[in-house]
């Protein structure tokens, strides 16, 4: 009995110190106190006590006596660490230093400070920004005719271009002192969300100048002369920018671009001019066909030492007018029948003066840093916001359509198969919206969220792909027949585009999210790598020793925390929240500890080879991503005042994410290379087994039902998208019809009952209603109302058809004819 008590006391001390992450000295004192207490009592026997005293002294003395620890432990570990750790290239170092670390760093600690996170308010729109959304953006959405733009024009109308210029859409991020709007990141997001929900073409046109483009680069790196010249022109739309990064031989590996420039002299107008001779072949460049100024990335060489002593200066950026002699620009790509302006830029022996270098000669060779820092901000806003708008529009439309469209005398939204799709759409839309707002708010906090930006880009585009797939399934034939009445087809066609641009999703998941996050966000790894650069041997050993044992304590603590929290359903975790949400924070605390521990084990096992283990890195990236998404959803829920009616959607999205975390962790453990360690990892991470389940059918039914009727929850879920029924906007038409369809359902039930009783005569809908009126099944007012609703429903569910000549020669129609025809149809 005493032996068991003795061992239990030692175990409790060890686990307690590890759980609360105490120092080695604290553990040593506590353990010594236990040993001393039992020694005084003479229990559980001198042989066992002596054995444990010896074991304790062998461990405690070297760990607490730092000179011995550094000589016998840290020194050999440092040598091994230097051998197994690859040298970080300049390119990788710049990428790691480009971003900042926000809440994602808390997830790597294994013990996030939830109260601090959720108490920090999300940024709101200013009065001026809200007025812009309610005025010019609402007006723009009313001007959008996606069928006209995509089928007949292969581009947007002059009317839209004029509106964009007049209202300074291209200058949202440009400060007012240069003539721009000076909007916040959340306002930038709100505009892209609303416009992107209407048209991906116009969404792209608005997004690019405010993302990775000359304006962003000029603001941070341009000379005063360049800023004063270009920024006012960009803000007013006098100049339309594009940015040429992707080349024929370099896509995702942007640093290997073959486009180059050579510093040289050339006689121009009788004068010797120092400049650059450029050769480049760019492709996939958005806005290139209509651009007037081109930002160009290329590798700069100075073989004659005209501007310095280095020959290979590195990646640089220049600003070139589109009419620069020798540059070919204007031709178009045609990405999946989505004709937003996108095309190649080619130049051969193009000579430009040296002052075209963005930021001047002093910024020559710093292009990669400039690009990666700008991209970390742009990636966090552009595609997440646009896809959030698309997801909201698709979810809004599908919920309404599923109530309006009936089969077997029931709204199709009442069928369980359709309910599954609707629940997924609602849950994913909630997650996407929360995530995109979280990253935009982080930008307004002054962050450059490189890792969250990658998370947002990947998961917003992936989940929006799932949403549009479900929307197409629910709509059936209505979704696949293109024409003025189709509001889904172009979004379905364009989905692979957003998966590909700004870093292909496969690369983003398998190499960037965890690959960068593991070093950049980990509390110790980057510091340990930096310690290796210390030239003084003694100081390097001292700093590395401090970091190494802090890192060891961190890993042990997270292993113990993961095990205890998993065993106790995280009831010991100190978390905020109410009765419903506290359990969510507890789960996240548990899996954050498990993730942090698993990340350390994987990095220790693979070292520098982790770069090549993309499947493992991708799964750990999934865990990090879902933890971050859950955090964003909870922050949104708290910010909105914990609306009880929204809780089913939050619950569905949360359980879906947690189940994905469990699946990803299982994949990491099952593929761990050392087989005999796998059972230990399973016990630590899943002490009670894999108990997480995907959202159940009952919860899915609740969530799907929320999409089928107007409510505050449905409004909050789809807030920010265009809902007007003006100009034949079919989603707005359905929204206006939806309450009347619901009001007509009791009348439809009366009609069905009368028909089954043989009371109704005739074959058509009108004949049935007339018969119902005659048989007093319906009153005159009810009959008129039902006839009107049925007529409006038929307008919704009908699809377009064309003469062959219309499809072959549609371009011969004028924009006015197209608009008049569409408005008549609506």
């Amino acid at each position: 009995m005493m032996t068991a008590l003795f061992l239990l006391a030692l175990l409790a001390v060890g686990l307690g110190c590890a759980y609360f992450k105490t120092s080695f000295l604290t553990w040593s004192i506590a353990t010594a106190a236990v040993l001393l207490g039992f020694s005084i009592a003479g229990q559980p026997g001198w042989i066992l006590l002596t054995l444990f005293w010896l074991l304790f002294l062998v461990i405690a003395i070297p760990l607490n006596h730092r000179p011995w620890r550094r000589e016998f432990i840290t020194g050999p570990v440092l040598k091994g660490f230097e051998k197994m750790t690859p040298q970080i290239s300049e390119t990788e170092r710049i990428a790691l230093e480009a971003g900042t670390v926000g809440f994602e760093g808390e997830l790597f600690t294994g013990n996030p400070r939830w109260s601090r996170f959720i108490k920090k308010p999300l940024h709101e729109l200013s009065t001026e920004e809200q007025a812009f959304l309610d005025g010019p953006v609402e007006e723009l959405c009313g001007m959008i005719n996606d069928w006209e733009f995509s089928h007949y024009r292969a581009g947007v109308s002059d009317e839209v271009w004029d509106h964009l210029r007049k209202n300074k859409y291209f200058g949202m991020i440009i400060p007012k002192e240069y003539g721009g709007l000076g909007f916040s990141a959340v306002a930038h997001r709100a505009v892209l969300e609303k416009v992107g929900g209407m048209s991906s073409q116009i969404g792209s046109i608005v997004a690019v100048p405010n993302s990775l483009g000359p304006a962003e680069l000029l603001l941070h790196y341009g000379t005063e002369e360049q800023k004063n010249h270009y920024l006012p022109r960009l803000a007013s739309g006098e100049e339309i920018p594009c940015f040429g990064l992707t080349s024929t031989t370099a896509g995702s590996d942007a640093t290997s671009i073959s486009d180059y420039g050579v510093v040289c002299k050339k006689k121009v107008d009788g004068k010797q001019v120092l400049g650059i001779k450029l050769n480049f072949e760019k492709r996939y460049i958005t806005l290139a066909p209509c651009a007037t100024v081109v930002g160009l990335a290329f590798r700069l060489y100075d073989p004659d030492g005209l501007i310095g002593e280095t020959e290979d200066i590195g990646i640089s950026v220049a600003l070139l007018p589109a009419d620069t002699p020798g540059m070919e620009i204007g031709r178009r790509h045609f990405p999946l029948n989505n004709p937003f302006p996108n095309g190649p830029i080619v130049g051969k022996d193009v000579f430009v003066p040296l002052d075209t270098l963005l930021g001047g000669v002093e910024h020559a060779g710093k292009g990669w840093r400039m690009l990666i820092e700008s991209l970390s901000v742009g990636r966090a806003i552009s595609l997440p916001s646009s896809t959030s708008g698309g997801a909201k529009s698709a979810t809004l439309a599908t919920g309404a359509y599923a109530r309006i469209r009936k089969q077997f005398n029931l709204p199709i939204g009442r069928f369980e198969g359709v309910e599954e799709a609707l629940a997924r759409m609602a849950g994913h839309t909630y997650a996407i919206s929360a995530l995109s707002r979280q990253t935009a708010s982080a930008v307004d906090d002054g962050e450059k969220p490189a890792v969250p930006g990658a998370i947002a880009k990947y998961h917003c585009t992936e989940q929006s792909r799932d949403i549009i797939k479900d929307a197409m399934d629910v709509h059936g034939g209505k979704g696949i027949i293109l024409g003025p009445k189709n509001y889904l087809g172009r979004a379905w066609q364009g989905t692979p585009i957003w998966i590909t641009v700004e870093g292909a999703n496969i690369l983003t998941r398998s190499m960037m999210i965890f690959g960068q996050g593991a070093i950049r966000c980990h509390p110790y790894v980057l510091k340990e790598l930096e310690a290796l650069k210390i030239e003084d041997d003694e100081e390097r050993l001292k700093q590395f020793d401090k970091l190494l044992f802090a890192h060891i304590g961190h890993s042990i603590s997270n292993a113990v925390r993961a095990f205890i929290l998993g065993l106790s359903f995280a009831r010991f975790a100190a978390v905020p929240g109410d009765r419903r949400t506290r359990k969510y924070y507890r789960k996240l605390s548990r899996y954050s500890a498990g993730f942090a521990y698993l990340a350390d084990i994987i990095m220790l096992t693979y070292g520098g080879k982790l770069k090549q283990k993309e499947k493992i890195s991708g799964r750990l990236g999934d865990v990090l991503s879902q933890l971050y998404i859950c955090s964003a959803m909870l922050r949104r829920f708290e910010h909105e005042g914990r609306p009880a009616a929204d809780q089913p959607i939050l619950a569905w999205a949360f359980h879906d994410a947690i189940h994905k975390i469990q699946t990803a962790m299982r994949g990491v453990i099952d593929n761990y290379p050392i087989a005999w360690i796998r059972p230990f990892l399973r016990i630590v991470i899943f002490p009670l087994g894999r108990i997480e389940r995907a959202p159940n059918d009952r919860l899915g039914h609740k969530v799907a039902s929320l999409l089928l009727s107007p409510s505050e929850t449905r409004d909050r879920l789809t807030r920010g998208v265009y809902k007007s029924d003006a100009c034949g906007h079919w989603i707005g038409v359905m929204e206006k019809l939806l309450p009347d369809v619901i009001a007509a359902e009791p009348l439809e039930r009366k009609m069905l009952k009368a028909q089954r009783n043989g009371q109704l005569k005739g074959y058509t809908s009108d004949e049935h209603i007339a018969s119902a009126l005659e048989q007093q099944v319906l009153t005159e007012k009810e009959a008129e109302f039902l006839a009107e609703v049925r007529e409006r429903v038929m307008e919704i569910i009908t699809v377009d058809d064309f003469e062959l000549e219309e499809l072959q020669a549609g371009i011969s129609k004028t924009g006015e004819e197209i608009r008049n025809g569409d408005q008549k149809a609506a």
Side-chain angles (χ1 to χ4, degrees), residues 231-267:
L231 289 176
R233 291 171 170 80
L234 290 169
S236 67
E238 180 182 346
E239 299 276 16
I240 301 297
C242 71
F243 193 86
L245 176 59
T246 303
S247 65
T248 304
T249 57
S252 297
D253 183 12
T255 58
S256 66
I257 54 177
S258 54
D259 311 298
Y260 68 95
V262 178
V263 180
C264 61
K265 293 181 179 180
K266 183 179 180 180
K267 190 169 285 187

Side-chain angles (χ1 to χ4, degrees), residues 707-733:
L707 293 186
L708 300 177
S709 304
S711 67
E712 291 183 2
T713 293
R714 190 169 178 268
D715 289 343
R716 275 191 294 269
L717 182 66
T718 59
R719 182 190 297 141
V721 298
Y722 185 66
K723 299 179 182 179
S724 171
D725 64 337
C727 302
H729 178 226
W730 289 103
I731 297 177
V733 172

Side-chain angles (χ1 to χ4, degrees), residues 64 88 92 102 146 151 161-162 251 286 292 297 404-405 525 667 681-682 700 716 819-820:
N64 289 288
I88 298 178
E92 292 172 316
D146 222 26
H151 183 67
W161 276 110
D162 290 343
T286 300
T292 61
I404 292 168
R405 184 76 166 107
V525 170
L681 294 177
R682 291 190 187 103
R716 275 191 294 269
R819 283 191 290 275
N820 288 341

